Amino acid sequence: VLLSRESALLPDLLRDMMKFSTNLTAEVIGMSASARQGITGHGASGQAMSDWLRREGGGGGARFVDHSGLGGASRISAGEMVRALVTLGPGAGLRGLMKEITVRDMGGKGKMAVRVEAKTGTLNFVSALVGYMTGPDGTEMAFAIFTGDAARRDAVPDAEKESPAGAGAWVRRSKRLQLQLIERWAKVYGT
């Protein structure tokens, strides 16, 4: 052995991946898990993750083509995502890996009395917020909010994919909707 270096522990890597949306880390971890089962191809690895979710978490219609979620052919419904969060998340300590999201009252009254740990995802007219919420009365919830304009995303020319016209305004509206939904759920559960 000429050189050996141990990485950080997997939970630390996952926590950083969730916080900073490091897609390369997601791909490497997913491919490493597949390689331990003898699966070496990228497409086969995405399929193995789809099969695993169907088997373990009730994601019957889920289809993954990669581990980062960037592949346009990947699919999962909000209901399947919530089922996975509820079924698989607690045993894996998923909530503790997600970043805490500060939720401000849309009415301008300051920070809301809810606790949210979630993963964000945004790319060219697609936005997601998936995670857990504790309401002011202590009610625990899992949620998945997916918004997207697939036609607009598909119409973006390759030369503009890094920063398509109108994407910033679209994302701001999507994030506003996400916060409005969380605010509504918080009011239902005891603010």
Side-chain angles (χ1 to χ4, degrees), residues 56-75:
E56 302 293 326
R63 178 175 184 263
F64 303 112
V65 297
D66 57 28
H67 298 285
S68 63
L70 293 176
S74 289
R75 296 286 184 268

Side-chain angles (χ1 to χ4, degrees), residues 95 100-101 103 111-117 131-143 181-191:
R95 187 173 191 161
E100 189 165 349
I101 307 286
V103 181
K111 186 178 175 183
M112 295 187 67
V114 296
R115 184 172 171 196
V116 176
E117 291 93 3
Y132 300 94
M133 175 178 158
T134 304
D137 68 352
T139 300
E140 298 285 338
M141 295 167 265
F143 65 90
L181 288 168
I182 288 172
E183 181 179 12
R184 180 178 174 101
W185 296 329
K187 287 179 179 175
V188 168
Y189 292 99
T191 54

